[in-house]
């Protein structure tokens, strides 16, 4: 009789899958047929069994959500780490990350870094207030800050950090968990890579939750995604989403569109609408 056990994948390096159950961490490999059908990703809950001195993953259990990049599943929230300098603040990159996260069924949280490097931050802070007004959580983290608000957000949640390379994702985790730097140095040395470059995905224990640090990226392609429900993923649109004249309103050129009216009246962040419109028009050209 097969004695199946259950656990969560917290790290994948090459073909070694680290699984955490209620008592311990073990390293397993997936069955060959399952690898061809649908490979497990970090965050997956799986069924596995012990065969002699090794473990084999038999089944990936149902997911609540899945991000494609990074490849991670069953995430509660995504911390969009937004640098204000080096790399400079970009509301358009922030908007597209918010959209990408929302389309995956994950809650976006905006985490702002490097405020201490700006001499005159008033204009950017005013822009960030628009996100707060729409209902997005916005937290700030800089060297020397106590990060209590951020710790509360991470507590008991599975979170993924995303954002541009250099935005400060790894530095943020180092402040929250002093052991994190030692872990990344050891793994990077084993992989023969620079210690400051994240090349793999792993869930770390941080603030009584699990957090994944992920490779940085600066461009996002929406042409392969189903963006037909993108409007429903944007908090700025939520008060107006079902009030347009037409039920299938795409909020582009349709008459009596309440979302376009709200943009004109200054009730919706104009950059959010601009990026929404660009993505929907890009999608239209592909159809």
């Amino acid at each position: 009789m097969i004695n199946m056990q259950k656990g969560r994948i917290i790290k994948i390096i090459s073909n070694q899958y680290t699984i955490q159950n209620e008592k311990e961490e073990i390293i397993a490999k997936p069955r060959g047929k399952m690898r061809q059908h649908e490979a497990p990703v970090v965050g997956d809950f799986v069924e596995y069994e012990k065969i002699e001195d090794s473990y084999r993953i038999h089944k990936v259990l149902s997911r609540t959500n899945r991000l494609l990049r990074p490849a991670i599943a069953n995430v509660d929230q995504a911390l969009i780490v937004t640098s204000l300098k080096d790399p400079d603040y970009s509301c358009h990159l922030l908007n597209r990350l918010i959209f990408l996260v929302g389309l995956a069924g994950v809650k976006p949280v905006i985490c702002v870094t490097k405020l201490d490097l700006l001499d005159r931050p008033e204009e950017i802070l005013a822009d960030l207030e628009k996100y707060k007004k729409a209902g997005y959580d916005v937290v700030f983290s800089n060297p020397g800050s106590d990060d209590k608000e951020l710790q509360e957000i991470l507590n008991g949640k599975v979170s993924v950090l995303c954002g541009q390379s250099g935005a400060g994702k790894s530095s943020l985790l180092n402040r929250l968990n002093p052991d994190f730097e030692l872990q990344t140095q050891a793994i990077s040395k084993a992989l023969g890579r620079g210690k400051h470059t994240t090349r793999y995905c792993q869930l770390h224990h941080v603030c009584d939750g699990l957090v994944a640090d992920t490779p940085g990226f600066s461009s996002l392609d929406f042409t392969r995604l189903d963006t037909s429900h993108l409007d429903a993923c944007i908090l700025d649109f939520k008060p107006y989403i079902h009030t347009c004249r037409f039920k299938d309103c795409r909020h582009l050129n349709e008459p009596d569109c309440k979302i376009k009216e709200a943009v004109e009246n200054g009730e919706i962040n104009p950059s959010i609408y601009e990026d929404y419109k660009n993505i929907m028009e890009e999608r239209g050209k592909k159809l």
Side-chain angles (χ1 to χ4, degrees):
M1 181 177 178
I2 298 177
N3 182 22
M4 286 293 177
Q5 302 180 62
K6 294 181 181 180
R8 184 203 298 268
I9 296 174
I10 61 170
K11 179 172 62 178
I12 301 174
I13 297 180
S14 185
N15 196 36
Q16 294 187 323
Y17 293 69
T18 301
I19 298 174
Q20 182 180 64
N21 57 34
E22 294 180 355
K23 298 179 180 179
E24 60 182 350
E25 292 181 7
I26 60 99
I27 294 177
K29 293 183 178 180
R31 291 188 303 122
K33 290 182 179 179
M34 192 183 70
R35 285 202 304 271
Q36 296 171 6
H37 175 63
E38 184 175 12
V41 299
V42 167
D44 269 331
F45 290 100
V46 295
E47 289 184 348
Y48 63 95
E49 67 167 327
K50 186 174 184 179
I51 303 175
E52 296 181 349
D53 295 328
S54 62
Y55 294 89
R56 287 289 184 270
I57 300 171
H58 279 258
K59 181 181 179 182
V60 176
L61 301 180
S62 179
R63 295 165 172 160
T64 57
N65 52 46
R66 186 191 189 286
L67 288 168
L68 296 177
R69 184 177 180 184
I72 189 169
N74 302 314
V75 177
D76 295 313
Q77 57 192 6
L79 270 66
I80 302 173
V81 182
T82 304
S83 169
L84 301 190
K85 188 174 179 64
D86 300 327
D88 293 344
Y89 172 72
S90 167
C91 64
H92 299 294
L93 176 59
L94 174 57
N95 293 341
R96 289 188 169 232
L97 283 168
I98 288 173
F99 297 166
L100 188 70
V101 167
L103 286 170
V106 178
K107 176 185 176 181
V109 176
I110 301 169
C111 182
V112 182
T113 62
K114 304 187 183 181
L115 175 63
D116 55 315
L117 299 183
L118 290 185
D119 294 326
R120 300 181 63 85
E122 294 82 5
E123 184 176 346
I124 293 178
L125 290 176
D127 194 60
L128 290 170
E129 280 296 322
K130 298 174 185 175
Y131 296 91
K132 286 186 179 181
K133 181 182 177 182
Y136 294 102
D137 290 331
V138 180
V139 295
F140 292 80
S141 180
N142 298 292
S145 57
D146 59 21
D147 288 320
K148 286 185 178 179
E149 187 177 6
L150 183 56
Q151 290 175 25
E152 291 176 1
I153 287 174
L154 296 176
N155 186 18
K157 302 290 186 180
V158 177
S159 308
V160 60
L161 272 63
C162 57
Q164 278 182 289
S165 298
K169 299 185 297 298
S170 294
S171 297
L172 173 63
L173 284 183
N174 289 337
R175 289 198 295 274
L176 294 170
N177 180 4
D179 294 331
F180 176 71
E181 186 173 5
L182 297 176
Q183 295 170 15
T184 55
Q185 285 184 20
I187 294 171
S188 294
K189 185 176 180 180
L191 294 175
R193 292 166 177 155
K195 66 181 180 181
H196 297 300
T197 304
T198 308
R199 300 281 190 179
Y200 57 92
C201 186
Q202 176 180 355
L203 285 170
H204 300 270
H205 293 275
V206 180
C207 301
D208 295 322
L210 291 170
V211 178
D213 184 26
T214 65
F217 48 92
S218 58
S219 61
L220 299 167
D221 181 9
F222 285 81
T223 57
R224 296 183 180 181
L225 297 177
D226 178 9
T227 56
S228 59
H229 64 293
L230 176 59
D231 56 351
C233 301
I234 301 173
L235 292 185
D236 304 66
F237 293 0
K238 190 173 181 179
Y240 315 96
I241 200 74
H242 297 299
T243 61
C244 298
R245 178 179 174 183
F246 300 104
K247 290 183 179 180
D248 60 347
C249 184
R250 295 189 304 153
H251 324 297
L252 298 177
N253 302 309
E254 296 86 348
D256 298 326
C257 172
K258 297 302 180 182
I259 285 177
K260 288 195 298 179
E261 288 181 14
V263 174
E264 294 170 0
N265 294 334
E267 297 166 355
I268 285 178
N269 184 345
S271 76
I272 282 273
Y273 178 74
E274 178 186 348
D275 288 317
Y276 166 82
K277 181 179 179 181
N278 289 339
I279 288 169
M280 295 302 292
E281 288 177 346
E282 289 170 11
R283 177 177 180 268
K285 292 176 184 179
K286 296 290 181 179
L287 296 178

